[in-house]
Amino acid sequence: MSMPDLQDQLAISTLMQRWALARDTGDWQALSATAHPGAAMTTTWFDGTFEAFVESCRASWAKGSRSQHFLGGTAADVEGDRAIAQTRMSINVRSRLDGVEVDAVCHGRFFDRVEKREGAWRIAKRSVIYEKDRLDPVDPQARISLDPELLGRFPEGYRHLGYLQARNGARVNSNLPTASGEALERLLREAKAWLASA
């Protein structure tokens, strides 16, 4: 790998770390700086512009909502001023379900189209691939009961996270990419075409 390639990999990996730290600490200015103007963001509970995503996060934060994103390694396929970056991650959400304090943990990958504009790598479009999740009461003595019909609306990969979010009022997308399936294949196919057109 050449020195410019290594520099791009390092810059993209650093970008991903900055996103997670800014998102989890409520640093909205720093979070906004991780994406290009007009960037897109799709998660279980949000689908729209990155600017609107930041405002939604800010509003949830003001109401006391907190989540944590733990990142593993980032690998990027770079073609000129475009790249596809995949980052191992886990999303950790503490919330309440029917009056019981619970933790939802979801593992997967951030899947980012990133572009280098005016010398800076930033996110142009973020998708998430949800691979597996679980939901547990914080107090191991507590009991939770899940509605099987609502649980069954969401695919394996983010079934419990989606359930918790839906029960707390979010409109959860039930057709997002998981570890396998049509949604994942479509995401990979579209990203490959986008990268090849660089």
Side-chain angles (χ1 to χ4, degrees), residues 161-184:
L161 176 63
Y163 182 97
L164 177 64
Q165 291 172 330
R167 284 299 297 267
N168 286 324
R171 297 181 65 180
V172 179
N173 187 332
S174 60
N175 295 299
L176 296 173
T178 57
S180 62
E182 183 180 341
L184 175 63

Side-chain angles (χ1 to χ4, degrees), residues 50-108:
F50 199 86
E51 291 87 351
F53 170 76
V54 173
E55 288 309 308
S56 294
C57 291
R58 186 197 300 266
S60 295
W61 182 277
K63 296 176 183 177
S65 175
R66 298 292 185 271
S67 61
Q68 296 176 318
H69 299 76
F70 293 93
L71 304 188
T74 296
D77 295 323
V78 181
E79 291 289 343
D81 290 338
R82 287 185 175 184
I84 297 295
Q86 298 191 62
T87 305
R88 297 295 309 168
M89 63 83 194
S90 70
I91 304 167
N92 299 258
V93 178
R94 177 159 289 182
S95 187
R96 298 191 77 81
L97 179 64
D98 300 327
V100 179
E101 194 172 36
V102 295
D103 281 333
V105 179
C106 185
H107 301 279

Side-chain angles (χ1 to χ4, degrees), residues 1 8-9 12-13 74-79 83-86 114 195:
M1 194 176 283
D8 286 336
Q9 293 285 342
I12 293 168
S13 180
T74 296
D77 295 323
V78 181
E79 291 289 343
I84 297 295
Q86 298 191 62
V114 292
L195 190 60

Side-chain angles (χ1 to χ4, degrees), residues 84-159:
I84 297 295
Q86 298 191 62
T87 305
R88 297 295 309 168
M89 63 83 194
S90 70
I91 304 167
N92 299 258
V93 178
R94 177 159 289 182
S95 187
R96 298 191 77 81
L97 179 64
D98 300 327
V100 179
E101 194 172 36
V102 295
D103 281 333
V105 179
C106 185
H107 301 279
R109 292 176 271 166
F110 285 140
F111 189 93
D112 294 293
R113 297 183 189 188
V114 292
E115 294 183 2
K116 190 176 185 180
R117 302 179 192 170
E118 298 178 354
W121 288 102
R122 298 288 183 267
I123 296 168
K125 183 176 183 179
R126 166 161 285 183
S127 302
V128 185
I129 301 169
Y130 300 91
E131 297 178 348
K132 68 175 184 176
D133 72 336
R134 62 182 295 149
L135 179 65
D136 301 288
V138 174
D139 178 355
Q141 301 299 318
R143 294 288 178 262
I144 55 175
S145 179
L146 306 184
D147 176 353
E149 181 181 351
L150 178 59
L151 190 66
R153 293 181 192 173
F154 307 111
E156 185 177 354
Y158 61 99
R159 181 165 291 154

